[in-house]
Amino acid sequence: MLDIAIIGAGPAGLATALRLHQKGFRPRIYEAVPELKPLGVGVDIKPYAVKEITEMGLLEEFKAVSVEARESIFYTGYGQQIFSEQCGRYMGYEHDQRFVHRGRLQMMLYQAVLDRLGKEAVTLGCRCTAFEQDGGGVTVHFDNALNAAAPKSLRADVVIGVDGIRSVVRGKLLPESERTFFSGLTLYRGVTVMPPIKTGGSILHIGDPIRQGTLIVYPIQDNVDGNGSQLINWVVEQDEKPQSEEDWNQETGVKDIEHVFDDCKLDFLDIGEMIRNARECYLFPLIDHDPLPQWTFGRITLLGDAAHAMYPRGGNSVCQAFVDARVVAEKLADITDPAQALKAYETERREKVNWLVMASRGEGPEVVRRIVEERSGGKPFDDIENIFPYEEALSIFSEYHAKAGMKIPTLKDGVEPGKYKSVFNTQQ
């Protein structure tokens, strides 16, 4: 039985522990913070990731903390519809697509780890600082100043670095990867308690990326106040200099963004009112890291954001981490040599995910709004078909979905992924 140490207790690290446990392993998780709290805002969990959660045996628990996605609609900065598609089972997938608060997702996975592996499987207040390996395993060193009961060092057969976008493990293995890529955009991420929008499971993509920036809106919790209101997650992208560190939990106000979308007229949503009524708002410079040339170094590998930090466009970051978790568990269970198993995991996953990293950097599926604005000259139009034919839009979306691992099951005859020239920037 391999002794596996997981560095990081975010959703990806917890999912990795659950997947390894399903294969008969008893991994241990080491997390830098002294207490796990339900921090963050919304995440979009695609059908292929709901499949992973289902296989973890957590579908009912996940349904209890999330909202089912029904439709995805794209609008111009004036509120004119560009494209719409159904989501999850409504599009013919075998599994739902669901929206959830990141903190609630993390707490759900954390509770499952405690229930299945025991409290001793997770050590908090234990920050990884260094490691070295030899032919027999890896020695990991920790700063345990926040938890005197935590180890200062330990031996493991395998170490999996799942410690996020600012990964210590990645920084030690690939020092050059510490260089970040700043998009020139800043995100304002907020939540507002309000009545359901449209179907109550709609995700809206709004704005002129040249003139206004971008707004994404979707629900992440039902009946949050006992009166039928939802917790609505929204994200505003603005073209401005970075004002903050690479940290998702910096609180800020909304005065700089409350009037950005005043030109957008929707008969079902007052955008300015939604933003002004925010319960909380966080600031984050849109940063990622260049795709990595290597994840695995002997008995040490990377997983999740530590391996493939990407912009939160297209909703694939944590979803891809759940796939990573399954694959690394499968390889460690099927291949006797740990180093070979970790290399096989990287071979199966790295190239696919690196494509998504670069596609997300190039706007991901949000690129359709830029196409329309450029072709219309940033003016209202009479007929979207004269500017951006439905078949062309569907081809773009089908290419992106297929690359993310979820080919559209109801794709019409004659519409192939990438039939038109690819609009995704995937050049490294």
Side-chain angles (χ1 to χ4, degrees):
M1 181 63 66
L2 292 175
D3 187 356
I4 303 172
I6 297 170
I7 309 301
L14 295 165
T16 302
L18 292 169
R19 282 305 208 172
L20 287 166
H21 182 256
Q22 287 181 320
K23 291 296 183 179
F25 298 106
R26 296 197 65 84
R28 296 170 292 162
I29 301 176
Y30 300 90
E31 166 60 44
V33 302
E35 179 184 2
L36 292 185
K37 298 178 181 180
L39 300 176
V41 281
V43 288
D44 178 1
I45 306 299
K46 303 298 188 183
Y48 71 90
V50 174
K51 175 179 180 291
E52 301 293 336
I53 291 172
T54 301
E55 291 177 359
M56 292 180 212
L58 292 170
L59 179 60
E60 294 308 313
E61 291 87 343
F62 182 50
K63 285 183 176 181
V65 299
S66 60
V67 178
E68 184 179 13
R70 294 174 177 267
E71 62 179 0
S72 177
I73 312 175
F74 290 74
Y75 297 92
T76 70
Y78 296 106
Q80 292 184 285
Q81 185 170 316
I82 296 171
F83 180 80
S84 69
E85 62 179 359
Q86 294 179 307
C87 299
R89 293 182 184 274
Y90 297 91
M91 191 187 281
Y93 289 109
E94 184 179 349
H95 299 275
D96 295 346
Q97 177 178 336
R98 303 191 74 87
F99 307 128
V100 67
H101 189 289
R102 181 194 177 279
R104 299 187 86 201
L105 173 66
Q106 182 180 12
M107 291 300 105
M108 179 198 79
L109 294 168
Y110 181 43
Q111 188 59 54
V113 168
L114 297 181
D115 291 344
R116 298 179 188 183
L117 281 76
K119 293 182 179 179
E120 67 279 3
V122 182
T123 302
L124 303 177
C126 192
R127 185 173 67 86
C128 175
T129 58
F131 48 81
E132 58 268 352
Q133 66 176 311
D134 52 43
V138 185
T139 301
V140 187
H141 303 283
F142 298 98
D143 176 353
N144 67 349
L146 298 178
N147 179 5
K152 290 187 175 181
S153 64
L154 59 83
R155 286 282 290 177
D157 297 312
V158 169
V159 171
I160 306 176
V162 201
D163 48 341
I165 192 169
R166 294 188 291 180
S167 170
V168 171
V169 179
R170 183 192 62 228
K172 298 294 184 183
L173 295 173
L174 293 161
E176 65 276 14
S177 72
E178 292 298 279
R179 184 181 66 255
T180 57
F181 181 90
F182 175 56
S183 64
L185 299 171
T186 295
L187 298 184
Y188 293 80
R189 298 173 60 95
V191 291
T192 303
V193 176
M194 58 189 292
I197 300 170
K198 292 183 73 63
T199 66
S202 303
I203 179 169
L204 314 178
H205 313 254
I206 301 168
D208 174 346
I210 301 171
R211 176 174 58 91
Q212 293 168 312
T214 295
L215 170 67
I216 310 295
V217 183
Y218 58 90
I220 57 175
Q221 186 176 348
D222 284 326
N223 196 24
V224 69
D225 60 356
N227 295 313
S229 296
Q230 290 182 313
L231 187 63
I232 303 295
N233 177 84
W234 50 265
V235 184
V236 173
E237 283 188 10
Q238 291 291 282
D239 187 0
E240 55 189 50
K241 294 179 180 179
Q243 302 176 10
S244 58
E245 300 177 359
E246 193 175 358
D247 182 353
W248 285 99
N249 298 307
Q250 300 169 87
E251 292 195 51
T252 187
V254 300
K255 64 180 181 64
D256 291 336
I257 57 171
E258 61 181 327
H259 294 296
V260 170
F261 296 94
D262 284 353
D263 290 342
C264 186
K265 306 302 181 183
L266 299 169
D267 58 10
F268 56 86
L269 175 64
D270 184 327
I271 295 173
E273 181 181 27
M274 177 187 70
I275 292 174
R276 284 188 291 275
N277 291 337
R279 191 175 76 178
E280 55 195 280
C281 182
Y282 299 93
L283 191 68
F284 184 74
L286 195 56
I287 289 171
D288 71 358
H289 293 253
D290 287 333
L292 300 181
Q294 185 177 351
W295 292 359
T296 299
F297 297 77
R299 292 169 176 258
I300 306 171
T301 197
L302 302 170
L303 189 148
D305 279 354
H308 46 75
M310 66 181 78
Y311 294 164
R313 289 172 171 155
N316 284 296
S317 182
V318 70
C319 297
Q320 289 294 317
F322 288 167
V323 180
D324 292 347
R326 169 175 52 81
V327 174
V328 77
E330 290 173 346
K331 300 305 182 186
L332 285 168
D334 294 343
I335 300 174
T336 303
D337 186 312
Q340 290 182 10
L342 295 182
K343 195 63 181 177
Y345 148 70
E346 177 185 334
T347 299
E348 182 168 331
R349 295 292 299 143
R350 184 170 58 82
E351 185 176 341
K352 295 176 183 177
V353 186
N354 279 355
W355 186 94
L356 285 172
V357 171
M358 297 308 296
S360 297
R361 183 179 289 181
E363 294 183 294
E366 302 297 332
V367 72
V368 299
R369 290 180 298 100
R370 183 179 295 275
I371 291 172
V372 170
E373 295 305 325
E374 290 174 346
R375 293 181 185 179
S376 68
K379 303 295 184 181
F381 49 78
D382 293 326
D383 186 351
I384 186 62
E385 281 292 313
N386 295 331
I387 296 173
F388 191 43
Y390 176 79
E391 183 178 297
E392 181 181 357
L394 185 58
S395 177
I396 290 171
F397 279 91
S398 63
E399 178 189 3
Y400 189 84
H401 290 328
K403 289 288 189 179
M406 49 178 186
K407 183 178 179 180
I408 299 174
T410 56
L411 200 62
K412 292 182 178 180
D413 292 340
V415 180
E416 296 295 333
K419 178 180 178 180
Y420 293 80
K421 182 179 178 181
S422 179
V423 297
F424 299 113
N425 172 22
T426 57
Q427 299 300 312
Q428 297 187 24

